[in-house]
Amino acid sequence: MRHWKSLVAKPLEELCLRLEKTAALLPVRFDPESVHSARKDSRRLRLVIRLLKGILPREQKQWRNTLREFRCELAETRDADVQIAFLNSLENPPAGSSPESLDLFKRYLEGVRQDSTEKLKYASISLVSSGLLSRIPETLQWVLGEIPDSQAHSERVRRDIVLGGVSMVNTLEERSPVLFPGGNANTFHTVRKAARKLRYSLEYLNSLFPGPLEGYIEQVRALQQHLGRAHDAAVMAGTIAEVPKITPGLMVLREDREDRARARARLTRKR
């Protein structure tokens, strides 16, 4: 395979291999970091498939749907892990919060994690046994093998990929104004998703055109971090509100998390 084809195929092949290994281990060696890695790789893989939709067969839409379903199973477990980790980090809980409610809330989250973990194990087994993560790179290799090794074809394929990345820039630009002013948890999450897609697009494009995009990737990553912390705070505040029995004793913690979300939002607007 010519050099440009290898550059196109290699990131997708690596993602499929890494996700397959992680998903195969989840049912037997479950840990929060593996869940986080699988979630990130499934998102990256969906994005790369989207950027390559111009050369992949129609089946690529079903691939993306399958990966999205798997990621949704990962999401509930990951959200519970993040909230439990935050509670464990509280050396000095907010003044006025109820220790009994904090303990009850933690046990509630551990129950959510246990239930979601069982569902995730079955989803992992299903994904690996389907053979999808082997079929995707094999299909791409076949498609690339059918494309002539000419400069014109190389430029056309890479141009289509770049145009896909440009669409991510446009999406972030369109959605960013919702941050100014009065952004809420939903609008910030919308911008966060757009920023994540743009960053993953830039990382893939950087594998095709090494060097000039690295600075932009770091800028988008910094934006993601601020939006992500605001989102984590909003998720916990929302979870507390959904549990009537313990909400009265956790109002102070809920207000503290909402304050953190608003503070992160203000910092993000400044950037």
Side-chain angles (χ1 to χ4, degrees):
M1 184 179 292
R2 292 295 181 89
H3 180 59
W4 71 268
K5 294 182 179 180
S6 298
L7 290 176
V8 169
K10 186 177 179 181
L12 183 139
E13 292 171 351
E14 291 176 345
L15 281 170
C16 286
L17 181 60
R18 192 162 64 229
L19 182 57
E20 185 172 32
K21 287 182 177 179
T22 305
L25 288 174
L26 282 177
V28 294
R29 195 183 69 190
F30 195 87
D31 65 88
E33 189 55 39
S34 295
V35 173
H36 185 45
S37 296
R39 194 180 182 193
K40 289 191 297 182
D41 285 342
S42 63
R43 283 171 169 160
R44 283 191 172 96
L45 181 55
R46 285 188 74 236
L47 196 283
V48 172
I49 291 172
R50 181 175 174 179
L51 292 176
L52 294 172
K53 67 180 181 180
I55 61 173
L56 288 172
R58 282 180 154 182
E59 189 184 0
Q60 55 87 19
K61 188 173 182 180
Q62 183 56 49
W63 298 345
R64 288 165 53 203
N65 289 338
T66 300
L67 291 167
R68 181 177 57 193
E69 292 168 3
F70 177 63
R71 179 183 56 77
C72 288
E73 296 293 346
L74 291 160
E76 189 175 8
T77 303
R78 176 61 181 169
D79 285 344
D81 282 333
V82 169
Q83 294 178 78
I84 291 170
F86 172 76
L87 292 177
N88 289 336
S89 72
L90 285 176
E91 297 180 3
N92 298 301
S97 61
S98 165
E100 294 80 10
S101 292
L102 284 172
D103 183 62
L104 184 59
F105 185 44
K106 183 177 177 181
R107 282 189 277 126
Y108 168 78
L109 289 172
E110 288 172 343
V112 170
R113 180 174 62 181
Q114 183 174 354
D115 291 342
S116 61
T117 296
E118 290 304 313
K119 291 189 291 184
L120 178 55
K121 288 180 179 178
Y122 285 112
S124 299
I125 293 171
S126 177
L127 178 64
V128 174
S129 62
S130 72
L132 176 64
L133 297 175
S134 298
R135 192 161 66 253
I136 292 173
E138 288 171 359
T139 302
L140 179 59
Q141 291 278 6
W142 179 82
V143 168
L144 290 172
E146 294 295 303
I147 298 175
D149 292 322
S150 67
Q151 182 69 22
H153 285 86
S154 167
E155 291 178 356
R156 180 181 63 80
V157 170
R158 288 191 284 184
R159 182 195 64 223
D160 289 345
I161 294 171
V162 169
L163 289 175
V166 170
S167 72
M168 302 300 171
V169 176
N170 294 337
T171 300
L172 180 58
E173 187 175 27
E174 290 168 1
R175 296 180 179 179
S176 293
V178 301
L179 300 176
F180 311 97
N184 56 37
N186 289 332
T187 55
F188 270 73
H189 186 49
T190 297
V191 178
R192 179 178 176 238
K193 290 192 294 184
R196 180 173 60 232
K197 290 178 180 178
L198 173 57
R199 179 185 146 208
Y200 292 165
S201 297
L202 292 175
E203 288 175 344
Y204 181 62
L205 290 171
N206 197 50
S207 68
L208 301 179
F209 311 99
L213 296 175
E214 292 177 359
Y216 297 109
I217 292 171
E218 290 306 314
Q219 290 178 32
V220 178
R221 181 182 284 113
L223 174 63
Q224 267 189 275
Q225 288 175 346
H226 290 298
L227 291 169
R229 289 172 185 140
H231 175 68
D232 289 344
V235 167
M236 176 168 279
T239 305
I240 292 172
E242 292 171 1
V243 191
K245 290 184 179 180
I246 63 176
T247 297
L250 286 176
M251 284 305 296
V252 174
L253 177 62
R254 181 184 175 188
E255 291 166 0
D256 176 71
R257 292 300 277 167
E258 288 175 336
D259 287 343
R260 288 169 182 260
R262 283 191 288 269
R264 288 289 173 188
R266 287 193 294 272
L267 180 58
T268 302
R269 287 181 189 133
K270 291 178 182 178
R271 288 175 175 262

